[in-house]
Amino acid sequence: MKAITSRHPEEDAFEEYLFDRLPENQIGGVEEHLLFCEQCQATFAEIDDYVQLMKAATSAYAGNLRRMPSPRRHEHGLRWSAAAAAILLLTCLSALFSWRNPGETPKEVELLAYRGSTSSFETVAPAGRALDLRIDMRGVRLAKGYRVEIVDAGGRRVWLGDTPALLSKGLARGDYWVRLATDTGEPLREFGLHAE
């Protein structure tokens, strides 16, 4: 299996990919990254939803223009066009702002490494909320990239991605282990995390 690249594609690359405008030499890298990175899969899905919404709005607007009465017969034709354009613009802007600025800001959670026994130390995070896991990288061996894996108390993987670890859907209530590894899979650190 190929190592996951640590660099996430820019959102513009996803948009260009959706419109078939991405240069051919970049398509393979974007597709390969999307196979492994849940964070980018979620971002790609949001962008795809937005693009589909804009296409539908444009199609509906174009259909309304064809059915619009002739300005010669109705003086309100120009006003109707301006109103329709304003409504379309407001719809697009509200969709853009809700897509770019989701309702909640991810909660920053610091995962710190301590010397000695850490069995009594537990980091607590809010359950069901988007999380931005800040992993203590002091003293960690330098690598091309880092991978973060989160497993539940039973050892089942619930999230896998690169650093920074941004969990858009958060975690359910329970205990978790957050594992830091190099991009080649070499384990580096493990942190306990409790979601409540």
Side-chain angles (χ1 to χ4, degrees):
M1 188 163 116
K2 209 169 183 181
I4 301 171
T5 59
S6 62
R7 187 167 178 264
H8 300 286
E10 296 291 327
E11 289 181 6
D12 292 346
F14 294 146
E15 291 174 13
E16 294 299 307
Y17 179 85
L18 285 168
F19 287 108
D20 293 324
R21 297 186 302 224
L22 191 67
E24 195 166 320
N25 63 346
Q26 295 178 19
I27 291 174
V30 168
E31 289 175 342
E32 183 178 334
H33 187 85
L34 283 171
L35 285 174
F36 297 102
C37 182
E38 291 178 6
Q39 178 184 345
C40 286
Q41 290 169 3
T43 301
F44 182 81
E46 289 174 359
I47 293 171
D48 187 36
D49 290 346
Y50 174 75
V51 167
Q52 296 308 319
L53 175 69
M54 291 302 102
K55 285 182 178 179
T58 302
S59 176
Y61 178 70
N64 285 336
L65 283 180
R66 283 191 290 275
R67 291 191 302 265
M68 191 174 75
S70 167
R72 279 183 265 154
R73 293 191 322 201
H74 299 284
E75 294 177 11
H76 303 340
L78 185 57
R79 288 185 201 155
W80 189 90
S81 293
I87 290 170
L88 178 63
L89 178 62
L90 289 174
T91 302
C92 292
L93 287 175
S94 66
L96 176 65
F97 287 124
S98 67
W99 168 67
R100 294 275 187 195
N101 302 316
E104 79 175 349
T105 303
K107 171 73 174 162
E108 289 184 13
V109 177
E110 286 194 55
L111 298 173
L112 301 173
Y114 291 94
R115 291 183 170 259
S117 173
T118 60
S119 59
S120 63
F121 175 81
E122 243 181 299
T123 302
V124 178
R129 181 167 173 196
L131 299 175
D132 178 3
L133 299 182
R134 301 295 175 115
I135 297 173
D136 184 1
M137 301 293 280
R138 290 176 292 171
V140 170
R141 184 175 74 74
L142 189 62
K144 288 183 180 178
Y146 299 96
R147 185 175 66 201
V148 177
E149 177 184 40
I150 302 175
V151 298
D152 63 15
R156 289 179 299 277
R157 181 188 298 160
V158 296
W159 191 85
L160 177 68
D162 300 323
T163 56
L166 298 171
L167 287 73
S168 60
K169 296 182 182 173
L171 297 169
R173 293 181 189 276
D175 294 319
Y176 298 91
W177 292 105
V178 180
R179 297 173 177 159
L180 177 68
T182 65
D183 57 344
T184 59
E186 178 187 339
L188 297 171
R189 288 200 173 142
E190 187 172 70
F191 306 89
L193 178 64
H194 178 73
E196 60 180 25

